[in-house]
Amino acid sequence: MKKKRVLLKIGSNTLTKETNHISRGKIEDIGRQIENLKDSYEFIIVSSGAIAAAKQFVKLEHNGEEINVKQALASIGQPHLMRIFQENFRELGLFTSQCLLSYSDFENPKAKSNIKNTIDVLVANNFIPIINENDTVATDEIKFGDNDKLAALTASLLKVDLLIIATNTDGVYTKQSFDGDMPETIEEVINLNELINEVSSNRKSSHGTGGMQSKIEAATIAHKSNIETWIVNGLKDNFITDAIEGKTNFTKIK
């Protein structure tokens, strides 16, 4: 049976569980779900969190631009982030690999072909590619987007069956309900333009740099490639399996 290919995008807020430290428990939760689903699904991960990982270990002295400091933090934090993934996944019998990409790679046909071929080989050999933006040479994610666009471009290139974007809300809330005590999730979207008009909040998250707007933009890119997008609450345990089994509220963009 051909496995369903899923691209899972995890933002910094999910990985830190909205604290100041990368949560090993959350990474273990993600790994455990992937292990449980591995007979029917194959996963590619786009993960933020390098800067958050670095902040656990260092405080940089600097005279440069703030963006240069963030790039330096990303350089320090990326190996730590990968080590935490590798240690936690290995205990579950899962193997990981690192891929650092930048948006310019998606404008180069040769680079795009190399990315696709490499990731196809990794997945075929039961390695889970963990992708992040190469922040040493690119600053798009640091400035805005928290890897949402990178995830959508990668999903389109790899022709995945499903893009899951983990965030800190139960999907997209209706405008009407957002300011009340009981936010109401938009469960299914067929017309993306209606969703764009309905997006309730463009506030950035505490560690992330995106907000809901960048997630809708990512869903728009995926939509053009006929890829369904789910926006789910990654702070909850079992958020992937519960979404697949229909046990939780989330937004499904058909």
Side-chain angles (χ1 to χ4, degrees), residues 91-209:
E91 287 181 6
L92 295 159
L94 302 173
F95 302 103
T96 58
S97 62
Q98 173 182 267
C99 301
L100 294 178
L101 307 178
S102 57
Y103 291 124
S104 60
D105 294 327
F106 291 88
E107 295 163 2
N108 180 328
K110 181 66 175 170
K112 283 173 68 176
S113 175
N114 288 339
I115 293 165
K116 184 178 187 313
N117 292 339
T118 300
I119 291 177
D120 282 344
V121 170
L122 287 167
V123 173
N125 286 276
N126 296 317
F127 279 79
I128 300 167
I130 299 178
I131 299 165
N132 200 352
E133 184 166 11
N134 188 355
D135 290 324
T136 306
V137 297
T139 59
D140 304 61
E141 183 232 346
I142 288 173
K143 288 180 178 175
F144 179 79
D146 202 27
N147 275 341
D148 293 322
K149 182 180 176 185
L150 185 69
L153 291 171
T154 306
S156 299
L157 175 62
L158 299 176
K159 298 180 169 59
V160 304
D161 299 295
L162 177 64
L163 169 62
I164 298 178
I165 300 178
T167 185
N168 56 354
T169 61
D170 294 340
V172 186
Y173 298 139
T174 63
K175 262 185 191 173
Q176 189 176 1
S177 73
F178 187 79
D179 292 325
D181 293 333
M182 294 288 290
E184 182 185 341
T185 299
I186 301 169
E187 292 184 2
E188 192 166 290
V189 177
I190 295 171
N191 186 327
L192 249 178
N193 290 326
E194 288 179 9
L195 182 65
I196 291 165
N197 293 331
E198 192 69 25
V199 169
S200 346
S201 171
N202 196 24
R203 293 181 301 183
K204 303 277 197 311
S205 48
S206 54
H207 285 286
T209 51

